[in-house]
Structures are given as structure tokens and as C-alpha cells.
Amino acid sequence: MAITLKGTDVVVIGLGAAGGTAVLPLAQAGLEIVGLEAGPRLTAADYALDEIRQANWNWLGKWKVNNEVPTWRQTPTGVAASVASQGGAAILMNNGVGGTSIHYAAASWRYLPWQFQVRSHTISRYGAGAIPAGSTVADWPLTYDDLEPYYEKVEYLHGESGLAGNLKGIKQAGGNPFEGPRNKPYPNPPLRTAGWSAMMGEAAKKLGYHPFPEATFIRSQPYKGMPACTYCALCSPNGCYIDAKGGTAVAGIPEAEATKHLQVLTGARATQINVDSSGRATGVTFVQGGLEYFQPAKVVIVSTYVYENVRLLLLSKAAAFPQGLSNNHGQVGKHYISQLLIILSGLFPGKALNTFFGTSGQSTTIDDLDGDNFDHTGLGFIGGGKFSFNTGKTAISAARLTPPSLASWGSDWKAWIAKNANSVGTASGEGEALSYEDQFLDLDPSTKDPQGIPVVRVTYRLHETEVRLHQYMWKKADELLKAAGASQTWGSGFSLAPDKPLPVPVNSHAYGGTRMGDDPEQTVVNGFGVSHEIPNLLVLGASAFPTSAGSNPTKTVMAWSWRAADNLVKNWGAIAG
């Protein structure tokens, strides 16, 4: 029998980029909030400058995520198994106050205006035939202009470092010429330039591209009492040992708690969202310290991550929702997307690149190949991606960037590393993948986590459109590296060959499952994250995104969550009932 706690206005499940942002405007409005976080609360002292520990990619997920990794199958009729057993990759999120805004690389991007209307803009420019068969790509129910003020709020909350490229419609020298117009410059200047990134910037210019310093939530100078980066190179995938990396544990959640309207419960794993006979949410059941509790609330916000958002909704069955909450139209879990990753390394013989010095956020980037910034006629794909040339390499990561022709161990490998480790540079790209009818999430009927709860089953495969995009981006990365003087290039990590991207069915850049839109029969939530079927339930995060992008999603998750929270405050009476 669950222990019933004192009721609250809002209960928020998950305090990462989405929930950790939403609690700030809610608390500032005076609403009483209980935040349930499955992981612990860590501090800067927990993020030791220890390369071996730092290179263990998901040590922050040990409290929950590592024990519930989704299974994978490529087709709806296939049998799901572990990702590793099938030659795919799994990039996991983590648990803790701040979520993955603790250990992310902190690249912070606004989506392009085009990326909010991918379907309509593509059809307008290239015709309906440009949309791949079976793709469910859709426009967002909002525009870049709707989100721009919230991008600004997020940037100024975290003290983002960058250089504006489009200020109030006027292009700015040195910034990203393709970005949507912004009303204010970044609050802090870019991180300092490194030799490797400067060299790649010059090579990009030779090829006609427009390089600029990548924007990042890593602060280049002290900002509102928060420190600046020391360029230690060990903050990804790790927290920052001095809190110079922006995240909701550093800014957002602390300010919300200072209002005395937010109570954070750590080690609190939500197991069910409760609803009454009329179909309204009544609160959340969770387990903490071996005991079961029920937290009553007027409004429930689910803001974990794509996989857990979907899993919680599907697990929370009720008489009014026999297929899971907000799923009477069968849309929960649909339209899943895993972002494409393109990584090439190049050898620059005898040249000391010194990419070991500096953070991964210290990067030169090009956006010329993103979105619809170039003509796609005849290419066989839509969308694109960005390339970054960053530092932040460690000895362990360098040892993994060897050519495929070289054995991954032994005396030859050691000799090659000793001679060339400081002469290898990497082009890191992200590609825009689409949603398809045959890509979705559901509950695995046979695999359970240690608590006996079904894990998520991912049904996902690489489609021809994404393979063509990968091949195109591979070619461009090869040209860029060779223009800078690389004697040879090779695919690293997620790029096995030009036409063979590594499947990443479980991804830290994943989207869909609770798609937003205006049609209740085709989407799960509206443009403010409010469930079409449960009027006092909000679902926040990239699970609601209709599209991916060719860049990192975190800032858009934060901005959209802030907008959703503002809407909840404005319409509290109608939503809370």
C-alpha cells in the first residue's frame, strides 16, 4: 500500500534538461512543485579529473539507466535483442539532478527556421516526391519565431558562449550566417581558439564554407557567480569539476529551489502516473528507499527522456486508457528517430595538433551543409548536418582513433600510437534523420529490468535516405580534412564506411514517441506539451519533437520546455482544473 504524501500543484518526473528548465518559471510563478529524480544529487566535487573514470561513458547511469537499456530489432516482425549483440551502438543518458545536462559535450544550437517546417518547405521547393516513401516527417505546430524568446532565456540563464551570426536580421561577421535571427548577442564571447580548430577553419574557407566558433554552454568567462572554463579536456562525458559547464543542476534548479516552491526528491523512481475515472491525472506513484509513495498533484509533468517518457505512459494503464496513458489513438511510441552520426579522422604526418588541450566545446564549426542551406536537387535525401572540429581529446580516446587497417592491439598498434597520436584530427558530424512508419518504441514482451519492469523495445533500421546522407557527409568530411593537409582519412566510431553508417538505435540524440501536433488522432501532445487526451498531463523533452536536426537538441529541449511552463502558468486554471 503506497504512502500518500501531501498534495502539490505540480509533480515533475525527471529533472534533466526539460524538467530542470520547466521548474524555474513554475516556481517563480509561485506554484508548489515536487520534483522526482531517480538518480542522486551530485556536486562538482564528484567529477574528479580522472581520465579512466571519465572515459567510462555512462558511469552516471549506474543508478538506473544502465539496468534498463532498450532492446532492438530492425523490423516490426523481428525478434529484439541487445544492441551490442547485433552490431549496433547504444549511447545512454544518465540519472541525477540535472540529467544529461551534467555529462553532455555542451554544444548548444538553435534549430534552423527550416527545421520547424521540414515537410512543407521541402514540398514547396522540391515537390511532394522529395518526401521518402514511408516517412512520417511532419511540421512542428510552432515556428522558430515562437521559440526565439525562449532560446534567449536559456542562453542568458546558463551564460552561453558564442558569436552571433544574425542579429535582428543583420548578418554578423564571424558568426553562423545561416542561423535564424536573434534579438540579443550571446551573453559571453566564444571559447578561445585552438590551433587545430583554427587550421580547419582556414581549410573550410578554402572550400567556400563559412566557419565560426561553435556556441557552447561552457562559459568563457565568469558569469553571474558561475566560473569560467579552465580547458581541462575532461568534462565530456563527465560533469565539470568547477561547474563551468552550464546545466540545469547549476542554473535553473537552484534558482527554483531558492523560491522555496520546489522540493526535490532524489532516488525517487516513478512507476506509474495515476488517473481517476474521468481520465484526469491525479499524481504519481514512485519508489524511494524501498518504500512506495503516492504524490498527489493537480498537474503531472513527465520530463525524463524519450525512452522513459514512452515507457511510463505505456505502463500507466487505466480503465480510460487500456493501451497506456494518452494512447487511445495508438500514437505513443510512434515516429521514433535516432540521429545520424558521421565521424572521420585524418592523419597529419609530423604535425602536432595538440587536440589534448582544451574542452570539447572549443570548436570551429560549419553549418553550410545543415538543413536546406544547400540545394538538394537530385541528391536523394533531405536535410543535412553540421561538422565540428574540436579539441578535448584524451589519451584513451586517441587510442581509439586508429585506421581500420591497423590492429587494435599489439606492438604495431603501440608504435603507431607513439608516433601519430598527436597528429590525428577528427571531423565530427551530425545528420538529420527522418521518422518512418516502421520506426517506433513499445514495451519488450520478454526483457525486463532488475525491478521486473519491461524495458523499451526499439524498432529501427537505416533507410536509404539516411544512408545517402551519410555517404554525402562522409565525402564532405574527407574533402575538409584533406584540404587541411591530411594524408589519409578513415571512418571512426559511428562511420564504418561511406555507405555503411553504424546503426545507433539507442541514442542520446533521439526523438519522437510522444509527437506534438494539432491533430489529436495523429499526435500525443499539443505545441505546449499538453496531452490531447489528459488535460492536466504534460510530456516534455525531445520525445515530442516531430523532427530531428543536424545539430545538438539540448537547447531546443530547454527552450521548448520553458515555453510550455510559461503556457501552464498562463492557463493554470484551465489546465489544472
Side-chain angles (χ1 to χ4, degrees), residues 377-432:
T377 302
L379 294 179
F381 63 86
I382 60 178
K386 59 94 170 175
F387 275 116
S388 297
F389 311 96
N390 53 358
T391 55
K393 187 190 297 179
T394 65
I396 293 173
S397 64
R400 296 168 174 165
L401 296 177
T402 55
S405 59
L406 185 72
S408 58
W409 60 279
S411 57
D412 289 345
W413 174 77
K414 291 178 181 178
W416 195 96
I417 291 292
K419 179 181 179 181
N420 298 306
N422 199 27
S423 299
V424 175
T426 301
S428 299
E430 298 171 25
E432 184 166 3

Short mmCIF file of all heavy atoms in Angstrom, two decimals, residues 377-432:
data_model
loop_
_atom_site.label_atom_id
_atom_site.label_comp_id
_atom_site.label_asym_id
_atom_site.label_seq_id
_atom_site.Cartn_x
_atom_site.Cartn_y
_atom_site.Cartn_z
N THR A 377 18.59 19.13 -54.91
CA THR A 377 18.06 18.55 -56.14
C THR A 377 18.91 17.37 -56.60
O THR A 377 20.14 17.49 -56.77
CB THR A 377 18.02 19.61 -57.26
OG1 THR A 377 17.21 20.71 -56.84
CG2 THR A 377 17.47 19.02 -58.55
N GLY A 378 18.29 16.22 -56.75
CA GLY A 378 18.97 15.04 -57.26
C GLY A 378 19.82 14.29 -56.25
O GLY A 378 20.44 13.28 -56.60
N LEU A 379 19.86 14.73 -54.99
CA LEU A 379 20.72 14.09 -54.01
C LEU A 379 20.09 12.85 -53.38
O LEU A 379 20.79 12.02 -52.81
CB LEU A 379 21.13 15.08 -52.92
CG LEU A 379 22.01 16.26 -53.38
CD1 LEU A 379 22.31 17.19 -52.21
CD2 LEU A 379 23.31 15.74 -53.99
N GLY A 380 18.77 12.76 -53.40
CA GLY A 380 18.11 11.58 -52.84
C GLY A 380 17.92 11.62 -51.34
O GLY A 380 17.64 10.58 -50.72
N PHE A 381 18.08 12.77 -50.73
CA PHE A 381 17.80 12.92 -49.31
C PHE A 381 17.41 14.37 -49.05
O PHE A 381 17.61 15.25 -49.89
CB PHE A 381 19.01 12.52 -48.44
CG PHE A 381 20.23 13.39 -48.64
CD1 PHE A 381 20.40 14.58 -47.94
CD2 PHE A 381 21.25 13.01 -49.53
CE1 PHE A 381 21.51 15.37 -48.11
CE2 PHE A 381 22.36 13.81 -49.72
CZ PHE A 381 22.50 14.99 -49.01
N ILE A 382 16.83 14.61 -47.87
CA ILE A 382 16.53 15.97 -47.45
C ILE A 382 17.21 16.20 -46.10
O ILE A 382 17.54 15.26 -45.38
CB ILE A 382 15.02 16.24 -47.34
CG1 ILE A 382 14.36 15.30 -46.33
CG2 ILE A 382 14.36 16.10 -48.70
CD1 ILE A 382 12.87 15.57 -46.14
N GLY A 383 17.41 17.47 -45.78
CA GLY A 383 18.12 17.79 -44.55
C GLY A 383 19.61 17.63 -44.72
O GLY A 383 20.13 17.40 -45.82
N GLY A 384 20.33 17.76 -43.63
CA GLY A 384 21.78 17.67 -43.69
C GLY A 384 22.36 17.62 -42.30
O GLY A 384 21.81 16.97 -41.42
N GLY A 385 23.45 18.34 -42.08
CA GLY A 385 24.08 18.31 -40.77
C GLY A 385 25.23 19.27 -40.68
O GLY A 385 25.63 19.91 -41.66
N LYS A 386 25.79 19.39 -39.49
CA LYS A 386 26.92 20.28 -39.26
C LYS A 386 28.18 19.45 -39.02
O LYS A 386 28.12 18.26 -38.67
CB LYS A 386 26.63 21.20 -38.08
CG LYS A 386 26.34 20.49 -36.76
CD LYS A 386 27.56 20.31 -35.87
CE LYS A 386 27.19 19.81 -34.48
NZ LYS A 386 28.36 19.52 -33.64
N PHE A 387 29.33 20.08 -39.19
CA PHE A 387 30.60 19.46 -38.83
C PHE A 387 31.32 20.35 -37.83
O PHE A 387 31.34 21.58 -37.97
CB PHE A 387 31.51 19.28 -40.06
CG PHE A 387 31.23 18.01 -40.82
CD1 PHE A 387 30.76 18.07 -42.12
CD2 PHE A 387 31.46 16.77 -40.24
CE1 PHE A 387 30.51 16.90 -42.82
CE2 PHE A 387 31.20 15.60 -40.94
CZ PHE A 387 30.73 15.67 -42.24
N SER A 388 31.89 19.73 -36.82
CA SER A 388 32.67 20.43 -35.82
C SER A 388 34.07 19.86 -35.76
O SER A 388 34.27 18.65 -35.95
CB SER A 388 32.01 20.30 -34.43
OG SER A 388 30.74 20.89 -34.42
N PHE A 389 35.02 20.73 -35.48
CA PHE A 389 36.42 20.33 -35.37
C PHE A 389 36.89 20.80 -33.99
O PHE A 389 37.28 21.95 -33.81
CB PHE A 389 37.23 20.96 -36.49
CG PHE A 389 36.61 20.77 -37.85
CD1 PHE A 389 35.81 21.75 -38.41
CD2 PHE A 389 36.78 19.58 -38.54
CE1 PHE A 389 35.21 21.57 -39.65
CE2 PHE A 389 36.18 19.39 -39.78
CZ PHE A 389 35.39 20.38 -40.34
N ASN A 390 36.81 19.88 -33.03
CA ASN A 390 37.01 20.29 -31.65
C ASN A 390 38.21 19.64 -31.01
O ASN A 390 38.83 18.73 -31.55
CB ASN A 390 35.74 20.03 -30.83
CG ASN A 390 35.26 18.59 -30.93
OD1 ASN A 390 35.83 17.79 -31.64
ND2 ASN A 390 34.21 18.27 -30.22
N THR A 391 38.52 20.14 -29.82
CA THR A 391 39.60 19.60 -29.01
C THR A 391 38.98 18.71 -27.94
O THR A 391 37.93 18.14 -28.13
CB THR A 391 40.41 20.75 -28.41
OG1 THR A 391 39.53 21.62 -27.69
CG2 THR A 391 41.10 21.56 -29.49
N GLY A 392 39.66 18.58 -26.79
CA GLY A 392 39.11 17.75 -25.72
C GLY A 392 39.45 16.28 -25.86
O GLY A 392 38.80 15.42 -25.25
N LYS A 393 40.45 15.95 -26.64
CA LYS A 393 40.86 14.55 -26.78
C LYS A 393 41.63 14.11 -25.54
O LYS A 393 42.33 14.90 -24.91
CB LYS A 393 41.73 14.40 -28.02
CG LYS A 393 42.09 12.96 -28.38
CD LYS A 393 43.15 12.89 -29.46
CE LYS A 393 42.69 13.50 -30.76
NZ LYS A 393 43.74 13.45 -31.80
N THR A 394 41.48 12.84 -25.18
CA THR A 394 42.25 12.26 -24.08
C THR A 394 43.12 11.13 -24.63
O THR A 394 42.97 10.72 -25.78
CB THR A 394 41.32 11.69 -22.99
OG1 THR A 394 40.58 10.59 -23.55
CG2 THR A 394 40.36 12.75 -22.47
N ALA A 395 44.02 10.65 -23.80
CA ALA A 395 44.89 9.55 -24.24
C ALA A 395 44.07 8.33 -24.62
O ALA A 395 44.35 7.65 -25.62
CB ALA A 395 45.89 9.21 -23.14
N ILE A 396 43.04 8.05 -23.84
CA ILE A 396 42.21 6.88 -24.12
C ILE A 396 41.43 7.05 -25.41
O ILE A 396 41.36 6.15 -26.24
CB ILE A 396 41.26 6.61 -22.94
CG1 ILE A 396 42.07 6.17 -21.71
CG2 ILE A 396 40.23 5.54 -23.29
CD1 ILE A 396 41.25 6.03 -20.45
N SER A 397 40.83 8.23 -25.61
CA SER A 397 40.08 8.44 -26.84
C SER A 397 41.00 8.45 -28.05
O SER A 397 40.63 7.97 -29.13
CB SER A 397 39.28 9.75 -26.77
OG SER A 397 40.13 10.88 -26.68
N ALA A 398 42.23 8.96 -27.89
CA ALA A 398 43.17 8.96 -29.01
C ALA A 398 43.54 7.55 -29.42
O ALA A 398 43.73 7.26 -30.61
CB ALA A 398 44.43 9.74 -28.62
N ALA A 399 43.63 6.66 -28.45
CA ALA A 399 44.00 5.27 -28.76
C ALA A 399 42.93 4.56 -29.55
O ALA A 399 43.18 3.49 -30.12
CB ALA A 399 44.29 4.53 -27.46
N ARG A 400 41.72 5.13 -29.58
CA ARG A 400 40.62 4.52 -30.34
C ARG A 400 40.52 5.08 -31.75
O ARG A 400 39.70 4.60 -32.55
CB ARG A 400 39.30 4.77 -29.61
CG ARG A 400 39.21 4.11 -28.25
CD ARG A 400 38.00 4.62 -27.47
NE ARG A 400 37.82 3.90 -26.21
CZ ARG A 400 37.04 4.32 -25.22
NH1 ARG A 400 36.36 5.45 -25.35
NH2 ARG A 400 36.93 3.63 -24.11
N LEU A 401 41.32 6.09 -32.08
CA LEU A 401 41.20 6.76 -33.38
C LEU A 401 42.29 6.29 -34.34
O LEU A 401 42.97 7.09 -34.98
CB LEU A 401 41.28 8.28 -33.18
CG LEU A 401 40.16 8.91 -32.36
CD1 LEU A 401 40.40 10.41 -32.17
CD2 LEU A 401 38.81 8.68 -33.03
N THR A 402 42.45 5.00 -34.46
CA THR A 402 43.45 4.45 -35.35
C THR A 402 42.80 3.96 -36.64
O THR A 402 41.61 3.62 -36.66
CB THR A 402 44.19 3.27 -34.68
OG1 THR A 402 43.22 2.31 -34.24
CG2 THR A 402 44.98 3.77 -33.48
N PRO A 403 43.55 3.90 -37.74
CA PRO A 403 42.98 3.44 -39.02
C PRO A 403 42.49 2.00 -38.92
O PRO A 403 43.07 1.19 -38.18
CB PRO A 403 44.17 3.54 -39.99
CG PRO A 403 45.13 4.47 -39.35
CD PRO A 403 44.97 4.30 -37.87
N PRO A 404 41.45 1.65 -39.65
CA PRO A 404 40.91 0.28 -39.59
C PRO A 404 41.89 -0.77 -40.09
O PRO A 404 41.76 -1.95 -39.75
CB PRO A 404 39.66 0.35 -40.47
CG PRO A 404 39.87 1.54 -41.34
CD PRO A 404 40.67 2.51 -40.54
N SER A 405 42.88 -0.36 -40.88
CA SER A 405 43.88 -1.31 -41.38
C SER A 405 44.87 -1.73 -40.30
O SER A 405 45.61 -2.70 -40.47
CB SER A 405 44.64 -0.68 -42.55
OG SER A 405 45.29 0.53 -42.14
N LEU A 406 44.87 -0.99 -39.19
CA LEU A 406 45.81 -1.28 -38.10
C LEU A 406 45.12 -2.12 -37.04
O LEU A 406 43.97 -1.87 -36.68
CB LEU A 406 46.29 0.05 -37.49
CG LEU A 406 47.36 -0.02 -36.41
CD1 LEU A 406 48.71 -0.40 -37.03
CD2 LEU A 406 47.47 1.32 -35.69
N ALA A 407 45.81 -3.14 -36.55
CA ALA A 407 45.26 -3.93 -35.46
C ALA A 407 45.01 -3.03 -34.26
O ALA A 407 45.71 -2.02 -34.06
CB ALA A 407 46.22 -5.06 -35.09
N SER A 408 44.04 -3.39 -33.44
CA SER A 408 43.68 -2.56 -32.29
C SER A 408 44.45 -2.91 -31.03
O SER A 408 44.10 -2.48 -29.94
CB SER A 408 42.18 -2.67 -32.02
OG SER A 408 41.82 -4.02 -31.78
N TRP A 409 45.51 -3.68 -31.18
CA TRP A 409 46.37 -4.03 -30.05
C TRP A 409 47.70 -4.54 -30.61
O TRP A 409 47.86 -4.75 -31.81
CB TRP A 409 45.73 -5.12 -29.19
CG TRP A 409 45.46 -6.39 -29.93
CD1 TRP A 409 44.41 -6.68 -30.74
CD2 TRP A 409 46.31 -7.55 -29.99
NE1 TRP A 409 44.52 -7.92 -31.29
CE2 TRP A 409 45.68 -8.49 -30.83
CE3 TRP A 409 47.53 -7.88 -29.40
CZ2 TRP A 409 46.26 -9.74 -31.10
CZ3 TRP A 409 48.08 -9.13 -29.65
CH2 TRP A 409 47.44 -10.05 -30.51
N GLY A 410 48.69 -4.71 -29.74
CA GLY A 410 49.96 -5.27 -30.16
C GLY A 410 51.03 -4.24 -30.38
O GLY A 410 50.83 -3.03 -30.27
N SER A 411 52.22 -4.70 -30.75
CA SER A 411 53.39 -3.82 -30.87
C SER A 411 53.24 -2.82 -32.01
O SER A 411 53.67 -1.66 -31.89
CB SER A 411 54.65 -4.66 -31.07
OG SER A 411 54.53 -5.52 -32.20
N ASP A 412 52.65 -3.23 -33.15
CA ASP A 412 52.46 -2.28 -34.26
C ASP A 412 51.51 -1.17 -33.85
O ASP A 412 51.72 0.00 -34.20
CB ASP A 412 51.92 -3.02 -35.49
CG ASP A 412 52.94 -3.92 -36.13
OD1 ASP A 412 54.14 -3.77 -35.82
OD2 ASP A 412 52.54 -4.77 -36.94
N TRP A 413 50.45 -1.55 -33.15
CA TRP A 413 49.48 -0.55 -32.67
C TRP A 413 50.16 0.43 -31.72
O TRP A 413 49.99 1.65 -31.82
CB TRP A 413 48.32 -1.28 -31.98
CG TRP A 413 47.33 -0.38 -31.32
CD1 TRP A 413 46.36 0.37 -31.92
CD2 TRP A 413 47.20 -0.13 -29.91
NE1 TRP A 413 45.62 1.06 -30.99
CE2 TRP A 413 46.12 0.76 -29.75
CE3 TRP A 413 47.87 -0.61 -28.79
CZ2 TRP A 413 45.72 1.20 -28.48
CZ3 TRP A 413 47.46 -0.17 -27.54
CH2 TRP A 413 46.40 0.74 -27.40
N LYS A 414 50.96 -0.07 -30.79
CA LYS A 414 51.65 0.79 -29.83
C LYS A 414 52.61 1.74 -30.54
O LYS A 414 52.71 2.93 -30.21
CB LYS A 414 52.41 -0.05 -28.80
CG LYS A 414 51.51 -0.82 -27.85
CD LYS A 414 52.33 -1.67 -26.89
CE LYS A 414 51.45 -2.48 -25.95
NZ LYS A 414 52.25 -3.34 -25.04
N ALA A 415 53.32 1.23 -31.52
CA ALA A 415 54.27 2.06 -32.26
C ALA A 415 53.54 3.15 -33.03
O ALA A 415 54.01 4.31 -33.09
CB ALA A 415 55.09 1.19 -33.21
N TRP A 416 52.42 2.80 -33.63
CA TRP A 416 51.65 3.79 -34.39
C TRP A 416 51.14 4.88 -33.46
O TRP A 416 51.20 6.07 -33.78
CB TRP A 416 50.48 3.11 -35.10
CG TRP A 416 49.84 3.95 -36.18
CD1 TRP A 416 50.10 3.90 -37.52
CD2 TRP A 416 48.84 4.96 -36.00
NE1 TRP A 416 49.33 4.81 -38.20
CE2 TRP A 416 48.55 5.49 -37.29
CE3 TRP A 416 48.17 5.47 -34.91
CZ2 TRP A 416 47.62 6.49 -37.50
CZ3 TRP A 416 47.23 6.49 -35.11
CH2 TRP A 416 46.96 6.98 -36.38
N ILE A 417 50.62 4.50 -32.31
CA ILE A 417 50.11 5.46 -31.34
C ILE A 417 51.23 6.40 -30.89
O ILE A 417 51.06 7.63 -30.82
CB ILE A 417 49.50 4.74 -30.12
CG1 ILE A 417 48.20 4.03 -30.51
CG2 ILE A 417 49.23 5.73 -28.98
CD1 ILE A 417 47.06 4.94 -30.86
N ALA A 418 52.39 5.84 -30.57
CA ALA A 418 53.51 6.66 -30.10
C ALA A 418 53.93 7.69 -31.15
O ALA A 418 54.29 8.82 -30.82
CB ALA A 418 54.69 5.76 -29.74
N LYS A 419 53.85 7.30 -32.41
CA LYS A 419 54.29 8.19 -33.48
C LYS A 419 53.22 9.18 -33.90
O LYS A 419 53.53 10.34 -34.23
CB LYS A 419 54.71 7.34 -34.70
CG LYS A 419 55.18 8.17 -35.88
CD LYS A 419 55.57 7.27 -37.06
CE LYS A 419 56.03 8.09 -38.26
NZ LYS A 419 56.39 7.22 -39.41
N ASN A 420 51.96 8.77 -33.89
CA ASN A 420 50.92 9.56 -34.56
C ASN A 420 49.79 10.11 -33.68
O ASN A 420 48.95 10.87 -34.19
CB ASN A 420 50.28 8.71 -35.66
CG ASN A 420 51.27 8.29 -36.72
OD1 ASN A 420 51.96 9.12 -37.30
ND2 ASN A 420 51.34 6.99 -36.97
N ALA A 421 49.75 9.74 -32.42
CA ALA A 421 48.59 10.11 -31.61
C ALA A 421 48.33 11.61 -31.59
O ALA A 421 47.17 12.05 -31.54
CB ALA A 421 48.76 9.60 -30.18
N ASN A 422 49.39 12.41 -31.63
CA ASN A 422 49.22 13.86 -31.59
C ASN A 422 49.04 14.46 -32.98
O ASN A 422 49.01 15.69 -33.13
CB ASN A 422 50.41 14.53 -30.89
CG ASN A 422 50.08 15.93 -30.43
OD1 ASN A 422 48.94 16.27 -30.16
ND2 ASN A 422 51.12 16.77 -30.32
N SER A 423 48.91 13.61 -33.98
CA SER A 423 48.79 14.10 -35.35
C SER A 423 47.49 13.65 -36.01
O SER A 423 47.36 13.69 -37.23
CB SER A 423 49.98 13.59 -36.19
OG SER A 423 51.20 14.07 -35.67
N VAL A 424 46.54 13.24 -35.19
CA VAL A 424 45.23 12.81 -35.69
C VAL A 424 44.18 13.84 -35.29
O VAL A 424 44.07 14.21 -34.12
CB VAL A 424 44.84 11.42 -35.16
CG1 VAL A 424 43.41 11.06 -35.59
CG2 VAL A 424 45.83 10.37 -35.63
N GLY A 425 43.43 14.31 -36.27
CA GLY A 425 42.33 15.23 -36.02
C GLY A 425 41.02 14.64 -36.53
O GLY A 425 41.03 13.80 -37.45
N THR A 426 39.93 15.09 -35.95
CA THR A 426 38.63 14.47 -36.25
C THR A 426 37.59 15.49 -36.68
O THR A 426 37.51 16.58 -36.12
CB THR A 426 38.10 13.72 -35.01
OG1 THR A 426 39.05 12.72 -34.63
CG2 THR A 426 36.77 13.05 -35.29
N ALA A 427 36.83 15.12 -37.70
CA ALA A 427 35.65 15.88 -38.12
C ALA A 427 34.43 15.17 -37.56
O ALA A 427 34.17 14.02 -37.91
CB ALA A 427 35.57 15.96 -39.65
N SER A 428 33.71 15.85 -36.68
CA SER A 428 32.55 15.24 -36.03
C SER A 428 31.28 15.83 -36.61
O SER A 428 31.04 17.04 -36.51
CB SER A 428 32.60 15.50 -34.52
OG SER A 428 33.75 14.92 -33.96
N GLY A 429 30.47 14.99 -37.21
CA GLY A 429 29.25 15.46 -37.85
C GLY A 429 28.00 14.83 -37.27
O GLY A 429 28.04 13.74 -36.69
N GLU A 430 26.90 15.54 -37.41
CA GLU A 430 25.59 15.04 -37.03
C GLU A 430 24.65 15.21 -38.22
O GLU A 430 24.68 16.26 -38.87
CB GLU A 430 25.06 15.79 -35.82
CG GLU A 430 25.93 15.61 -34.59
CD GLU A 430 25.52 16.52 -33.45
OE1 GLU A 430 24.34 16.93 -33.41
OE2 GLU A 430 26.37 16.84 -32.61
N GLY A 431 23.86 14.20 -38.49
CA GLY A 431 22.99 14.23 -39.66
C GLY A 431 21.53 14.14 -39.28
O GLY A 431 21.15 13.46 -38.31
N GLU A 432 20.70 14.80 -40.06
CA GLU A 432 19.26 14.85 -39.80
C GLU A 432 18.56 13.61 -40.35
O GLU A 432 18.45 13.44 -41.56
CB GLU A 432 18.67 16.11 -40.42
CG GLU A 432 17.21 16.32 -40.14
CD GLU A 432 16.76 17.73 -40.49
OE1 GLU A 432 17.58 18.50 -41.00
OE2 GLU A 432 15.59 18.05 -40.26
#
